[in-house]
C-alpha cells in the first residue's frame, strides 16, 4: 500500500470517466429519448472534498449527456470533455489547458477505451468491476464498484496520501 500512497501523493488532477465509474454503467432512456444516469452522492462529496484539498477534477467521457453537464456543474467541476470515444486527444487537451504533466495526473476508468490514457498517467485506477484488461494495467483497484462509492475511495486515498484526510474528517466532528 505504501507504493500506492507514494503514487497518489503528488497528484494534482484527477480525471474521471463517467459511465461505469461515477455511475454503475447503466443507461436509462425515457420515451422521449432523454438519458438518465444515477450518480452516487458519496462520490460527489468525495469530489468536493478533494477539490477543497486543492486537487483539480476533470471528466472525460465517450458519451454526450446534459445530465453529466448538470451534475458536474453542481459539483464545481469545470473541466468536462464529453463525446470523446478516442480519449487520448482529449487527454492531451487537458494537459495543455491545465499545464499539469501526466505524471501528476490520475485517471479512473473501467473499460478498454480508458487504457490509452491510463497507461500515460502517474496514477491509473480501475474500479473493481472494470474489464480485466483495465484491472491488469491499473496501479490500484478500488474495493467498491463503479457508481457504488469507487469515486469516493479514490478521493479519500489521494487525500490520505497528501496528508489531508484526517484533518478534513476531523472537521466534521467539531
Amino acid at each position: 500500500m505504501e507504493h500506492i500512497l507514494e503514487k497518489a501523493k503528488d497528484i494534482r488532477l484527477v480525471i474521471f470517466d463517467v459511465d461505469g465509474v461515477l455511475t454503475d454503467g447503466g443507461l436509462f432512456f425515457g420515451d422521449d429519448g432523454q438519458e438518465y444516469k444515477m450518480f452516487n452522492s458519496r462520490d460527489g462529496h468525495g469530489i468536493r472534498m478533494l477539490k477543497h484539498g486543492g486537487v483539480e477534477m476533470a471528466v472525460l467521457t465517450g458519451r454526450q449527456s446534459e445530465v453529466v453537464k448538470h451534475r458536474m456543474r453542481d459539483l464545481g467541476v469545470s473541466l468536462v470533455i464529453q463525446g470523446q470515444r478516442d480519449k487520448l486527444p482529449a487527454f492531451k487537451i487537458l494537459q495543455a489547458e491545465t499545464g499539469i504533466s501526466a505524471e501528476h495526473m490520475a485517471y479512473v476508468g473501467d473499460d478498454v477505451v480508458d487504457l490509452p490514457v491510463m497507461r500515460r498517467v502517474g496514477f491509473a485506477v480501475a474500479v473493481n468491476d472494470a474489464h480485466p484488461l483495465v484491472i491488469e494495467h491499473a496501479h490500484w483497484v478500488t474495493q467498491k464498484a463503479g457508481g457504488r462509492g469507487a469515486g469516493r475511495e479514490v478521493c479519500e486515498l489521494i487525500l490520505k496520501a497528501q496528508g489531508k484526510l484526517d484533518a478534513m474528517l476531523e472537521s466534521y466532528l467539531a
Side-chain angles (χ1 to χ4, degrees):
M1 185 60 156
E2 283 304 312
H3 72 285
I4 298 302
L5 293 173
E6 193 62 34
K7 283 192 169 297
K9 183 177 69 172
D10 295 323
I11 296 303
R12 295 179 42 216
L13 172 70
V14 179
I15 307 166
F16 288 98
D17 178 31
V18 175
D19 296 318
V21 172
L22 294 178
T23 75
D24 67 3
L27 299 173
F28 303 92
F29 294 94
D31 288 340
D32 60 357
Q34 177 66 41
E35 184 175 323
Y36 301 92
K37 299 177 187 287
M38 184 176 74
F39 293 91
N40 185 298
S41 63
R42 290 185 190 128
D43 288 349
H45 190 70
I47 288 170
R48 285 188 177 104
M49 289 170 62
L50 197 54
K51 281 181 58 74
H52 181 72
V55 178
E56 291 188 56
M57 298 295 139
V59 164
L60 176 51
T61 179
R63 297 184 57 80
Q64 184 75 36
S65 171
E66 286 297 310
V67 175
V68 170
K69 186 167 68 171
H70 292 298
R71 180 62 175 149
M72 292 308 116
R73 185 177 5 189
D74 178 54
L75 294 174
V77 177
S78 59
L79 296 170
V80 179
I81 301 177
Q82 296 193 70
Q84 301 295 312
R85 294 195 195 285
D86 181 359
K87 296 184 177 187
L88 199 51
F91 170 70
K92 291 178 181 177
I93 289 169
L94 281 173
Q95 282 184 290
E97 282 184 15
T98 63
I100 298 172
S101 67
E103 69 188 86
H104 295 274
M105 292 183 178
Y107 186 91
V108 188
D110 73 306
D111 211 341
V112 294
V113 297
D114 299 312
L115 284 170
V117 177
M118 288 178 71
R119 293 176 48 86
R120 286 167 174 78
V121 296
F123 187 43
V125 178
V127 296
N128 83 348
D129 59 340
H131 186 281
L133 193 59
V134 174
I135 289 173
E136 179 183 327
H137 288 278
H139 296 120
W140 184 63
V141 179
T142 64
Q143 291 182 3
K144 298 195 185 273
R148 302 283 186 239
R152 178 67 167 265
E153 268 188 80
V154 173
C155 294
E156 288 192 0
L157 178 87
I158 292 169
L159 286 167
K160 178 179 179 178
Q162 296 181 358
K164 300 172 185 172
L165 181 62
D166 289 342
M168 200 169 281
L169 293 176
E170 271 299 313
S171 73
Y172 293 105
L173 299 173

